[in-house]
Amino acid sequence: MKSLQTQILAFFALLGHNLVGILAISGFFVLGAGAFSLGRTVGLFVSGGLMVLLAVILWLPDPAGRG
């Protein structure tokens, strides 16, 4: 059984490898929330555009070949 310290280090290593994706999704949420503060129509258009952009990014092949 792994020690707690090893598990914590593994978690932060995994977090570090995925930090760009985490920051991108967080930025999408913040940008969408900011757009909704300008108005409902603007928020829906911006959020919809960001969802389409995210879908296209996820649809692209992975350069590291992980699936």
Side-chain angles (χ1 to χ4, degrees), residues 13-30:
L14 181 66
L15 187 66
H17 291 296
N18 296 316
L19 192 58
V20 173
I22 293 168
L23 290 175
I25 299 299
S26 300
F28 282 4
F29 282 134
V30 170

Side-chain angles (χ1 to χ4, degrees), residues 31-47:
L31 192 60
F36 270 104
S37 71
L38 296 175
R40 183 176 180 195
T41 306
V42 175
L44 289 175
F45 272 104
V46 170
S47 296

Side-chain angles (χ1 to χ4, degrees), residues 40-61:
R40 183 176 180 195
T41 306
V42 175
L44 289 175
F45 272 104
V46 170
S47 296
L50 290 174
M51 284 192 290
V52 169
L53 178 66
L54 181 61
V56 168
I57 290 170
L58 292 174
W59 183 56
L60 294 172

